[in-house]
């Protein structure tokens, strides 16, 4: 029996365009870069947008290569973080497509940057890294 090998990509969504802060309370830049994503951002919307980007960049080959294995295992709009599962042979295609996406795949989505933070062979290590980064962000925000 053959075991299917996967990679888990831990991805952060960053918002580099700072909003005009005249008359507002001073918020650290690190908090604005890591702001929450809209509630309309769901796993289905993410998969649909990612598959469209892969089809646009890599064509039918890319779409067929990762269509079976692509799956969102964890999505947190509050921390703008998600874990994506993809086949080990084609994780670089997903990574490249994420790097080329320029906005959140929802209606009137903000401009953003998808940053792959960690590539792991197990979901456990990806989750541990997500927790570590969330704690680190809280300490930086203080």
């Amino acid at each position: 029996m053959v075991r299917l090998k996967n990679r888990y990509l831990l991805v952060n969504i960053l918002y580099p365009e700072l909003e005009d802060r005249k008359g507002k309370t001073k918020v650290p830049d690190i908090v604005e870069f890591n702001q929450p994503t809209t509630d309309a951002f769901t796993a289905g919307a993410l998969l649909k947008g990612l598959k469209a980007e892969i089809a646009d960049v890599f064509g039918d080959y890319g779409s067929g290569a990762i269509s079976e294995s692509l799956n969102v295992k964890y999505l947190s709009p509050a921390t703008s973080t998600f874990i994506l599962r993809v086949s080990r042979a084609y994780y670089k295609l997903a990574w490249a497509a994420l790097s080329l996406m320029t906005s959140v795949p929802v209606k009137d989505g903000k401009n953003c940057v998808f940053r792959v933070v960690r590539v792991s062979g197990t979901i456990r290590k990806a989750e541990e890294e997500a927790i570590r980064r969330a704690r680190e962000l809280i300490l930086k925000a203080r």
Side-chain angles (χ1 to χ4, degrees):
M1 185 160 87
V2 177
R3 193 175 115 216
L4 298 176
K5 310 261 177 146
N6 295 310
R7 289 288 179 248
Y8 296 90
L9 280 64
L10 175 64
V11 183
N12 282 347
I13 303 172
L14 303 175
Y15 298 94
E17 294 180 0
L18 297 177
E19 296 176 6
D20 189 23
R21 293 186 249 174
K22 292 179 183 174
K24 295 182 182 177
T25 60
K26 179 66 176 157
V27 177
D29 289 341
I30 188 118
V31 174
E32 278 209 40
F33 282 161
N34 294 290
Q35 61 183 285
T37 306
T38 179
D39 290 334
F41 185 59
T42 63
L46 175 63
L47 282 176
K48 186 177 177 183
L50 185 57
K51 285 180 180 179
E53 187 69 27
I54 289 170
D56 187 39
V57 175
F58 297 107
D60 291 337
Y61 168 74
S63 295
I66 68 161
S67 66
E68 283 294 314
S69 65
L70 194 64
N71 193 1
V72 176
K73 288 304 211 178
Y74 171 77
L75 173 67
S76 173
T79 59
S80 297
T81 303
F82 62 91
I83 296 176
L84 189 70
R85 185 190 77 192
V86 67
S87 174
R88 183 174 72 172
Y90 302 109
Y91 79 93
K92 290 182 182 177
L93 290 178
W95 190 342
L98 281 169
S99 298
L100 294 172
M101 289 177 71
T102 58
S103 65
V104 178
V106 294
K107 185 177 180 181
D108 300 327
K110 289 184 185 180
N111 290 338
C112 67
V113 175
F114 291 88
R115 181 176 69 171
V116 176
V117 176
R118 179 173 178 128
V119 178
S120 177
T122 63
I123 195 167
R124 180 176 163 214
K125 290 294 182 182
E127 288 171 342
E128 288 173 0
E129 181 68 15
I131 292 168
R132 188 189 69 76
R133 287 187 165 273
R135 285 184 183 149
E136 184 179 293
L137 182 63
I138 291 170
L139 290 176
K140 284 183 182 178
R142 289 184 182 173

